[in-house]
Amino acid sequence: MNFIKHVFLLLVILLLSNCASYQDSVYLRNDEILDTVKQKYSLFEYRIMPKDELTITVSTTTPEASAPFYRKIGMTKGQNGIGQGMDNAKLLDYLVDNEGYIDFPVLGMISVAGLSTRECEAVIREKLQAYLNEVPNVTVRSSSYKVSVLGEVARPGTYRVDDEKITIFQALAEAGDMTLFSDRKDVHLLREDGQGRRKVIHLDLTEANIALSPYYYLQQNDVVYVKPTPAKVHSNTFTGNASAWITMLSLVTTVVSLIMVITN
């Protein structure tokens, strides 16, 4: 009888050890820290990096004046676009090369890496004034801002960011949130900087001070990996070896039954 109690107790301990605690399953604990810590009130600003793709438009009072500063699909580098019409045209994006330059019509190579979109607009606008009789309206937007989320989330995948700003929680929301078997205390962020250096940052999303982290906002091409909990790993191990577990349980049941017969 004591043997049966020991087996039952062992099963209970195993079940409890595989259950994630409530504290490990919630986000943003100890949020009072956000009121006590002095924060720098500066909004996140997207910075251009090598291999980014930029959509750049130039507007003037007369379309003919700005036509030389567009490149459309089908145009060669030497064509200026005059007389081809810009209505319903598919404009070519500008790829930032490894040195941080774009090749802009008429203006040539322009260094843009490290600039915000507003700063890039100002640089192009200043260079264009030498060719125009007015101050043009220049708009620069990223067309390749994306982040990837994989691991223990509902919808792993790569997600495009249209407003050039996304937090790690927004990225997880796009991916359908973490599953119940995710490790919220050690989320991995893989990041590559403008020089090609890669590093993995470990983030604890159960603590509110994540909002103070420099990694709270994701950069373009960041990869977020959500690890599984030990319970998920054990569950997968059990599922993959179900026949072996069933055989073992049958054997244990048989042994227990024999012991009960002998003791009685």
Side-chain angles (χ1 to χ4, degrees):
M1 216 44 190
N2 288 333
F3 177 78
I4 297 175
K5 290 181 179 179
H6 290 157
V7 172
F8 178 75
L9 181 60
L10 179 61
L11 290 174
V12 171
I13 293 173
L14 289 174
L15 288 173
L16 290 177
S17 65
N18 287 335
C19 294
S21 69
Y22 172 77
Q23 292 296 322
D24 292 338
S25 301
V26 297
Y27 297 120
L28 303 173
R29 294 180 300 156
N30 304 316
D31 57 278
E32 62 275 2
I33 192 174
L34 300 181
D35 297 323
T36 59
V37 174
K38 185 176 181 181
Q39 302 183 42
K40 296 180 180 180
Y41 296 99
S42 58
L43 296 176
F44 174 83
E45 194 165 30
Y46 158 78
R47 295 284 171 177
I48 300 171
M49 295 175 59
K51 298 305 181 185
D52 283 356
E53 293 184 2
L54 305 176
T55 299
I56 303 175
T57 58
V58 179
S59 300
T60 54
T61 53
T62 57
E64 293 77 11
S66 58
F69 306 103
Y70 282 98
R71 287 182 62 198
K72 298 181 294 182
I73 289 179
M75 287 176 56
T76 62
K77 184 175 178 181
Q79 286 180 295
N80 59 18
I82 296 177
Q84 296 188 22
M86 298 307 301
D87 293 339
N88 301 319
K90 175 61 177 177
L91 301 179
L92 288 173
D93 290 333
Y94 295 85
L95 177 65
V96 184
D97 66 20
N98 289 344
E99 284 69 46
Y101 287 83
I102 59 172
D103 188 1
F104 199 82
V106 181
L107 303 181
M109 304 299 289
I110 303 175
S111 177
V112 297
L115 302 179
S116 68
T117 52
R118 291 290 177 266
E119 292 168 346
C120 184
E121 289 170 355
V123 169
I124 296 174
R125 187 183 303 113
E126 181 180 1
K127 291 179 178 294
L128 286 173
Q129 290 184 52
Y131 299 88
L132 298 170
N133 296 323
E134 60 181 295
V135 178
N137 182 35
V138 179
T139 303
V140 177
R141 293 290 181 269
S142 171
S143 58
S144 62
Y145 198 140
K146 58 185 181 297
V147 298
S148 299
V149 185
L150 54 108
E152 280 298 317
V153 292
R155 297 188 302 272
T158 298
Y159 298 90
R160 179 176 174 177
V161 181
D162 293 325
D163 56 3
E164 298 177 353
K165 182 179 74 170
I166 187 170
T167 70
I168 188 167
F169 288 109
Q170 289 172 322
L172 291 170
E174 288 283 350
D177 200 5
M178 299 189 202
T179 69
L180 293 177
F181 294 102
S182 62
D183 186 351
R184 289 163 165 77
K185 302 187 74 172
D186 188 21
V187 175
H188 292 185
L189 172 62
L190 175 61
R191 173 169 293 180
E192 181 177 352
D193 63 18
Q195 286 73 46
R197 294 171 299 201
R198 303 172 188 88
K199 60 180 177 179
V200 175
I201 301 100
H202 299 262
L203 303 174
D204 183 355
L205 302 189
T206 66
E207 293 292 336
N209 60 10
I210 184 64
L212 305 175
S213 167
Y215 306 107
Y216 178 66
Y217 285 100
L218 301 182
Q219 293 181 1
Q220 57 271 40
N221 301 317
D222 275 355
V223 177
V224 178
Y225 169 60
V226 180
K227 297 194 310 181
T229 60
K232 177 62 179 292
V233 176
H234 294 160
S235 173
N236 287 344
T237 302
F238 178 83
T239 302
N241 300 280
S243 59
W245 282 102
I246 292 172
T247 302
M248 185 179 297
L249 289 174
S250 299
L251 179 60
V252 170
T253 302
T254 302
V255 172
V256 171
S257 299
L258 288 174
I259 292 175
M260 291 180 64
V261 170
I262 293 173
T263 54
N264 290 333

